Each structure stands twice: as structure tokens, then as C-alpha cells.
Amino acid sequence: MKDLRRYLALKYIQYLVLSSSNTVSTLLGLLGSAYTMILLQSAKVSSKSTAVLISSLAQADILVFLSIVSDVVLGSFGAGVSPAASALARILLTANTHVSCVLLSCVAFEAYLITFLPSESRPLRTVRNARLMSRVIWALVAAECALFLMDDHLRASSASTPSHSPLELLFQLSSAASALLRSLSYILGILLRIINVYIYYKIFFSMSPR
């Protein structure tokens, strides 16, 4: 449907084109996701693997809404936004960005398969596989964010931790793992941008009149 294609275009611009989020793109993304979740409940939208991936993509924006709520609720207990609220909001936005980027790449890869390998890829492009892929992506990002939260907590409590204690060793391991994971996430983000551009470049020119 045209509305779903417009939504995907909006999401590609928001997560894979813009260098950083802003108020306008965030608001448009939230409105687009809310409309898409309503649209996907319609009987006019067939239950296909692409629809499952798009549904999971729209649901990821719930994390953005929760980050805004955490800023307002937790920040209301102090003069400004508390460190706890800021850390939670940052983690929620990180989860939203990572889930969305990977799901958008899955949609792009599926479009590539549909365009160039429609018959060969049909056994892979099932609703069951799409749901499994979405769950795996969410689980991996949840584990990533849990590590980031643990690292933030250990950093906050490291000032009162005695040297050479087991907690100090745990802090060092967590800090090293978090730094490595952030570097890998940054590299993966760049690779996903390149791959998405390549995929849609191939699709565009394969459909252009020769």
C-alpha cells in the first residue's frame, strides 16, 4: 500500500539518512507509527512477512514515547531532569534506534529478494520467519541495553567502591564490554546505511526502463 511505502520512506530518512534525530522528525515518526499500527489492523492489509516487520518497526516507537514519559515523570521529582531519568531516556532511545535500523534493513533485504529471487526466496519469506527475526532483534537489543544500564549503574557507584574488590573487577569488565559494543554498533550502523543504499540502488535501476 502507498501509505506503508510512505511510512517506510519516512523511517529511512529518520534513521538512515539524518545524522541525528530532531523534534520534527521524531514527532512525524511517532504520528506515522501510530497511524501504521492502526492501518495494519485493517483487513485490507494482507498478513505477509513484510507487514510483520513493519508492524514491529512501528511498535519500536513506543520506546520513544516511554523515553518522553520518563523525562517528564522522573524529572518532575527534582528541579530538572534527574540523572536516572536521563539515563533511562537515553537507553530507550538507543534501543529504538537500533531496533528500527535493523528492521529497516530487513525490509530492504526482503525487497531485494522479492525483486531478484522471488521464487527461490519464497520459503524464507514467511510470516513465521519474520516474527522469529523480529523477536531475535528485540532480544539482542534488549541484552545490549541491559549491559549499558549495568555499566551506567556501576559507574555511578564506582566512587564508593574499594580498589581491587570484586565489584571493581566487574566494573572494568562491564566498561570494556560496553565500549566494545558501542564501537561495534557504530560500525554496524555505517554498514547498514551502505547496504541499504546499495540495495535500493539495485532495485531502482532494475525497475527503470532500459
Side-chain angles (χ1 to χ4, degrees):
M1 295 179 66
K2 290 183 178 180
D3 287 342
L4 293 181
R5 287 196 291 268
R6 293 190 188 102
Y7 173 69
L8 287 175
L10 170 63
K11 285 298 173 180
Y12 277 110
I13 293 173
Q14 182 180 358
Y15 291 107
L16 298 174
V17 176
L18 296 178
S19 58
S20 60
S21 61
N22 55 67
T23 304
V24 175
S25 65
T26 299
L27 179 59
L28 290 175
L30 287 173
L31 292 175
S33 293
Y35 174 72
T36 298
M37 284 191 284
I38 296 172
L39 183 64
L40 289 172
Q41 303 303 314
S42 171
K44 296 180 180 179
V45 180
S46 58
S47 179
K48 294 183 178 180
S49 55
T50 304
V52 172
L53 295 173
I54 294 175
S55 176
S56 188
L57 174 65
Q59 291 168 13
D61 267 6
I62 295 175
L63 299 175
V64 178
F65 176 75
L66 291 177
S67 72
I68 297 173
V69 171
S70 69
D71 274 345
V72 173
V73 174
L74 296 180
S76 64
F77 290 99
V81 178
S82 67
S86 178
L88 179 59
R90 185 174 66 252
I91 292 297
L92 289 172
L93 291 177
T94 298
N96 167 260
T97 301
H98 291 183
V99 168
S100 298
C101 287
V102 177
L103 285 172
L104 285 168
S105 298
C106 290
V107 172
F109 182 66
E110 187 171 58
Y112 180 89
L113 293 177
I114 292 172
T115 304
F116 297 102
L117 300 168
S119 301
E120 298 86 344
S121 65
R122 188 170 289 112
L124 297 175
R125 294 184 287 103
T126 63
V127 171
R128 180 181 178 182
N129 287 342
R131 287 174 178 165
L132 178 61
M133 179 64 68
S134 297
R135 289 168 184 163
V136 169
I137 292 170
W138 277 95
L140 290 175
V141 173
E144 174 195 34
C145 292
L147 179 61
F148 290 158
L149 278 175
M150 183 176 69
D151 183 53
D152 287 342
H153 177 72
L154 290 174
R155 285 178 183 276
S157 59
S158 62
S160 58
T161 302
S163 300
H164 308 294
S165 68
L167 189 59
E168 175 66 19
L169 178 60
L170 179 61
F171 166 70
Q172 292 176 359
L173 291 174
S174 173
S175 180
S178 297
L180 177 61
L181 192 55
R182 285 188 172 95
S183 298
L184 291 176
S185 298
Y186 177 76
I187 295 172
L188 180 61
I190 294 176
L191 289 177
L192 289 180
R193 284 174 170 84
I194 296 173
I195 292 171
N196 276 272
V197 169
Y198 172 78
I199 287 175
Y200 283 110
Y201 170 84
K202 292 282 291 184
I203 293 175
F204 176 78
F205 281 100
S206 70
M207 299 178 65
S208 299
R210 301 182 185 276

